[in-house]
Amino acid sequence: MVGLLPKSHIMELDRLADAELAKRSLRVGFIYVPLSIIVSLITDLSSDFPRQTTGFILLFLLMGVIRSHFARNFESNYNPQNWIKKFTIYTLIPALALGSVAPLVFFYQGAGWDFIICILSVTGVSAGASSSLSPRKKIFRVFQTVLLVPTILTLVIFGEGKAQALSVLVLLWLGQVLVLGRYFHQEFWAGLHGQHQLKLRAKALEKAKARVEEASLAKGNFLANMSHEIRTPLNGIIGMTDLVLESDLDQDQLSYLNDVKSSGETLLRIINEILDFSKIEAGAIQIETIPFSMKKVIEKVVRSLRFSAESRANKISFTIDPELPRILMGDPHRLWQILTNLTGNAVKFTENGEISLSAEKVGEKNSRYSVIVKVRDTGIGISPEAQKSIFNAFSQADGSTTRKFGGTGLGLAISQKLVELMDGTITLNSTEGEGSTFAFMLNLEEAAVQSIEAIEDGEQSRVSDLTGLRVLLAEDNSVNAKLATRLLEKSGVLVEWAQNGKEALDALQNNIIDVILMDVQMPVMDGFETTAEIRKIEAGREKRIPIVALTAHALDGYRDLCLEKGMDDFLTKPLNSVRLRNCLGLWAPPSVQQSVQQSDPQSV
């Protein structure tokens, strides 16, 4: 296994093995000292050879100090070749000394009690070394040889009868210890290689994770840029179409422009679906918990799809359980999105039929209501095979359905994910040729207040007249600039147009401005750079001009980024005239707000 690894990896493993060797050496560094003292006490060696016995004990003590100091300073002293040489010397000196004791005793006293005790001591140390020296096989083998071979040779050469037989026993012991040491060595290195492989895999996973995060970031940047680049011209197409539709047109022109607007809105819906799906996959969707009216949400869905339904000779209706509280806590926008997807599909796949929406209370506990919302249709239905993958991304019933009815195949996947984010479940019951029923269950809490006025007001324009408000529009796209200018001029706003950040700074010096609408992506100086420069100019002044980010970026987190860069509010393209007027009304100076309130009592 070692030979299969690169040299750098072998060096790394060698270091780990030597570190373990040093660690184990610390535990047995002084083992010879107590062993020699015990042997001297239970034998006659201390009385027969007092100087020699004391000399051996002092030698073992000295080598123990040297070995311990050497092992403790492994990290600072480690050099692969020099360290292993020194370790070998410090290990073999006491082994050689201990291994010479038994032959010396045999020569002076014969194979008596003292000799047997010495052999037991030597074999005991030999057994312990099987584990402590297993990281380095060569050192282990030399150690066993130095420790046991002198005794074996002494018995073979100078012994007789039982003494020679004892040499065979010691030789067998040596063979068994070498086999055992080889096993411990293989186990140790197998574990070392296993740990090393895990470490390599962990590093590979970290690199893979980093690449995934980089890819995710690149994907996010790509989607943000594509969102901006596609939504910006769409803003102009849809907005300018709305302006033209408000003018005097004949029936053919009205029909053509409605088709243009419908196509633009379809394209925008597809873009939004792709962005939503990407945000869901990235875990970037946040579910709100605010008061809302289930009836109002369903009414809004039905109202927006009624024309499409009737154009296909369908009847569309809805029912609300009277026992359901009027105001619930949840995310009305995501609920509307789910219902729009499900109902839009029902309309698309149904002709000369019926589509019905319903919300029913099926349970109640501690002011929390189990609500089941259903969308039924009498359309073409879904085959059992297609039902298995109907909630998968980019999936429809079959290829012909996609070609005939269009769509991205993301609507149901997004709906399922959103329902799950709301801690709910969605189910399908369909019979081919008879229709389908999509149902999802949500647990919603009853709102503390039962007033719907605030919610209804939020969906309507609070500002209709902004006469005298001076707005600087920093926008590089001429079509979008023209659209925004027309929308604002209808409310009495005075608009100064700058095509980039530098022109915006020049306009601020030459004009009195109340509010700035700042596009983020512009040539020369972008919106962030321009905002930073404006805030730098304003430093120390009491007046701070409100800056509203005007961007086609629709990814989560972009609003927070704009606010961090010094902007005060955030509007996305395509521009919504109601939100645009409400936003400007919020940031208009007191003099304009007062005139607005006087001319529009509903805004109070």
Side-chain angles (χ1 to χ4, degrees), residues 430-482:
S430 180
T431 302
E432 198 168 5
E434 295 183 12
S436 305
T437 300
F438 286 88
F440 58 93
M441 179 82 73
L442 297 176
N443 290 312
L444 302 172
E445 186 177 356
E446 183 177 6
V449 294
Q450 290 293 310
S451 173
I452 195 62
E453 283 75 15
I455 301 173
E456 291 176 336
D457 287 345
E459 296 174 353
Q460 300 171 3
S461 175
R462 298 186 297 272
V463 179
S464 59
D465 186 8
L466 294 169
T467 301
L469 182 66
R470 295 159 298 195
V471 171
L472 172 59
L473 174 63
E475 168 65 69
D476 63 306
N477 186 287
S478 60
V479 176
N480 285 329
K482 186 182 296 184

Side-chain angles (χ1 to χ4, degrees), residues 383-504:
S383 68
E385 285 299 317
Q387 291 182 38
K388 296 177 182 178
S389 60
I390 196 68
F391 290 107
N392 293 345
F394 307 104
S395 173
Q396 288 190 336
D398 54 48
S400 61
T401 302
T402 305
R403 287 191 296 272
K404 181 177 179 182
F405 296 99
T408 62
L410 286 174
L412 291 179
I414 291 171
S415 298
Q416 183 187 47
K417 295 290 186 181
L418 290 176
V419 169
E420 290 174 351
L421 287 173
M422 295 180 184
D423 296 324
T425 55
I426 187 168
T427 59
L428 165 65
N429 183 16
S430 180
T431 302
E432 198 168 5
E434 295 183 12
S436 305
T437 300
F438 286 88
F440 58 93
M441 179 82 73
L442 297 176
N443 290 312
L444 302 172
E445 186 177 356
E446 183 177 6
V449 294
Q450 290 293 310
S451 173
I452 195 62
E453 283 75 15
I455 301 173
E456 291 176 336
D457 287 345
E459 296 174 353
Q460 300 171 3
S461 175
R462 298 186 297 272
V463 179
S464 59
D465 186 8
L466 294 169
T467 301
L469 182 66
R470 295 159 298 195
V471 171
L472 172 59
L473 174 63
E475 168 65 69
D476 63 306
N477 186 287
S478 60
V479 176
N480 285 329
K482 186 182 296 184
L483 169 62
T485 300
R486 295 283 178 85
L487 292 175
L488 294 172
E489 287 177 345
K490 284 186 175 183
S491 298
V493 175
L494 303 175
V495 182
E496 180 73 22
W497 176 35
Q499 298 187 58
N500 55 59
K502 187 176 183 306
E503 289 188 9

Side-chain angles (χ1 to χ4, degrees), residues 60 88 111 128 185 220 245 291 300 507 523 547:
F60 292 147
T88 303
H185 175 79
L245 284 171
K300 183 178 177 182
I547 301 177

